[in-house]
Amino acid sequence: MENKIFEKAKAFYFTVVAVMMYFFLEEYIDLGLHVTFRHAFALVLAFSALCMFLYKPDIPRGVTAFKDACVYSIPLAVTTIVSLFIWFMGTADVGVISRGLSSSFIYTNMLSFALGSAALLYVFGNRGIWYNLIAILIANLLMIVTIIAQNGIAAFFSEFVTLLVTFADVTGEVIVQAEIHELAFCLGAYLIYMLFKPQKNIVYFILLFLTVFCFLAALKRIAIIAIVIALIFGYILKFVARFVPKTASRLVVFLSVCVILLLVGYIALIKADAFTLLEQAGINTSGRVEIYNAVDEFYEFHPGFLGNGIGFLTYQLNEFMSVGVGAVHNDFLQHFIDLGFWGYIIWLVSMVLIRVCYFGRKGNIENAILTFMLTLYLIIVSSTDNTMNYPLLTGVLAMLMMGNSYEENVDHTEEKIFGIIKKKSGSLL
C-alpha cells in the first residue's frame, strides 16, 4: 500500500514539475543573468532524480540515462570547444567569450534539458516518454483553455476551422494566440514517434487525438512538411529493415552522410545568392533575402573561414544591425558564421551521424531509423527558422531518441556491470 502511494506521489511530482517546465515559456529568474523558468525546472527534474539515485541507487539505469544525455549533448561540447579555439586564435575580449558561453549554457543549454529527459527515464523507464507528453499536453491545453475563457469558445473554434481550411493562410486574432511555436514543434516530434510506432489501446488514441488537436491549433506548415518527409523516409527504411536489416542499417548511415553534405551545400547556395533567384522567380522568402544580404559580410564559404565564435551573429543582429529581427531565422547559416567552415562540419557530424550511430548501436535498427527521422525533422524545421534555439524541443528529441530503447540499453549496461539482467519495467500504454 505504501509503495503504491509513493509511486503515485512520484508520478504526480515529476509530472507537475514537467508541466511547469512547458507552461512558463517567457518567465525568467534574474540572477544577474536571466535564467528561464523552463531551464530551472529542467534542472529541478535532474536534481530530483539525482536525489532518488543517491537515496536508492540503480547504477545501470543511472549510468545509461546520464551517458545517453551526454552523448546527445555532444553538439554543445563541439560549439564550446570550437568557439574557445576561435576566441583564442583571435585573442577575443573576455566580454565576448562570456557573452558567447552565456548564450550556450544559460539560455539554451541542451545538456540541462537532456538531463531533464534522462531524469524522467531514470524514474519511470520507457513510461517517461508518455509522462513527458502528458505534461506537454496539460501545459498546452491550459493555455488554450485560458484563450477560450478570455475570448469565448465559439470565436476560438470558428477561427480554428478557418485556420485549417485555409491551411494557415488566414489566422484570426483569437487563434493566433494559440500559435505557441515551441510546443507545436515538440508535439510534431511526438507525432512522428506515435505514427511510426502506432499502438492499439485507448490511452494511445486519446493522447494521439489531443496531440493532433494542440498541434493543429498552432499549425506550423513547415512542421507538417517535416513530419511527412520524416515519415516517408522512416516507413521506407522500416520496410527495407524487415527484409534486409544490414542494408537498412548501412542506408541510414549513408543518408546521414548525405544530409551533412547537403547542409554544407545549403550554405554554398545561400552564399551564391540562391534566395535572390527564388524571389525573382516569384517565390516569397519572407524577407530572408534582406537578412542574408545583411549578414553576408560576416562569412566566406571556403575552408579557410574559421568563424567568429558562438553567439557572434545574434549579438550583431541585436546590437548593431537594423534588419528588424534579432535572429537570422536559419540555424545552419548562424552556426556556419559562428563556427566557421570546419567547425560547422564537425557540429553537423555530432548532431547527425554520431547520434544516429550511437542510438542505433548494437544492431538496434529501429532506433537508428527513429533517430534519423527526428534529426531530419529538426533539420527541416530549422532550415527556415531558429528552431534549434528552442530548448524544450531539444529535450523532447532527447527523450524520444534515448527513451525508445532505454530499457534494453539498461539491460545491456546491467549485464556489462553485474553479469545479470533484472526483470524489465512495464509500460504506461
Side-chain angles (χ1 to χ4, degrees), residues 208-347:
L208 179 61
F209 172 78
L210 293 174
T211 301
V212 171
F213 169 70
C214 291
F215 176 78
L216 291 179
L219 194 58
K220 298 299 295 180
R221 287 177 288 192
I222 187 63
I224 292 177
I225 294 171
I227 291 170
V228 171
I229 293 175
L231 287 173
I232 289 172
F233 275 94
Y235 290 145
I236 292 173
L237 289 168
K238 191 176 185 178
F239 177 79
V240 174
R242 185 180 303 172
F243 300 100
V244 278
K246 289 185 178 180
T247 300
S249 181
R250 295 188 185 112
L251 189 55
V252 173
V253 174
F254 172 75
L255 290 173
S256 299
V257 173
C258 288
V259 166
I260 293 171
L261 295 176
L262 286 172
L263 289 174
V264 174
Y266 180 53
I267 304 300
L269 288 174
I270 295 175
K271 189 64 176 178
D273 221 10
F275 276 76
T276 298
L277 297 177
L278 291 176
E279 286 281 0
Q280 293 173 354
I283 300 174
N284 183 13
T285 62
S286 302
R288 285 179 174 79
V289 171
E290 291 76 12
I291 298 172
Y292 296 163
N293 287 339
V295 302
D296 185 73
E297 63 179 295
F298 297 126
Y299 73 104
E300 298 291 336
F301 186 79
H302 60 72
F305 174 62
L306 294 180
N308 301 280
I310 198 70
F312 167 83
L313 186 59
T314 300
Y315 181 70
Q316 294 295 323
L317 288 170
N318 283 279
E319 298 295 329
F320 301 112
M321 305 179 70
S322 55
V323 292
V325 294
V328 74
H329 291 284
N330 185 326
D331 283 319
F332 301 102
L333 179 59
Q334 176 159 343
H335 277 83
F336 186 87
I337 294 174
D338 285 351
L339 301 179
F341 186 90
W342 296 109
Y344 175 70
I345 292 175
I346 296 171
W347 173 74

Side-chain angles (χ1 to χ4, degrees), residues 22-38:
Y22 289 107
F23 186 80
F24 294 105
L25 300 178
E26 304 296 333
E27 292 80 2
Y28 60 85
I29 305 167
D30 190 351
L31 299 174
L33 291 171
H34 291 170
V35 179
T36 61
F37 273 34
R38 52 190 170 184

Side-chain angles (χ1 to χ4, degrees), residues 72 192 230 256 259 263 332 348 351-353 355-356 359 368-382 388 397 401:
Y72 177 84
I192 291 173
S256 299
V259 166
L263 289 174
F332 301 102
L348 288 176
M351 185 185 67
V352 181
L353 192 58
R355 285 178 179 172
V356 167
F359 291 112
I369 294 172
L370 179 63
T371 300
F372 176 75
M373 292 169 63
L374 294 171
T375 302
L376 190 60
Y377 169 77
L378 176 64
I379 287 168
I380 294 172
V381 298
S382 300
M388 287 186 187
L397 294 177
M401 291 181 189

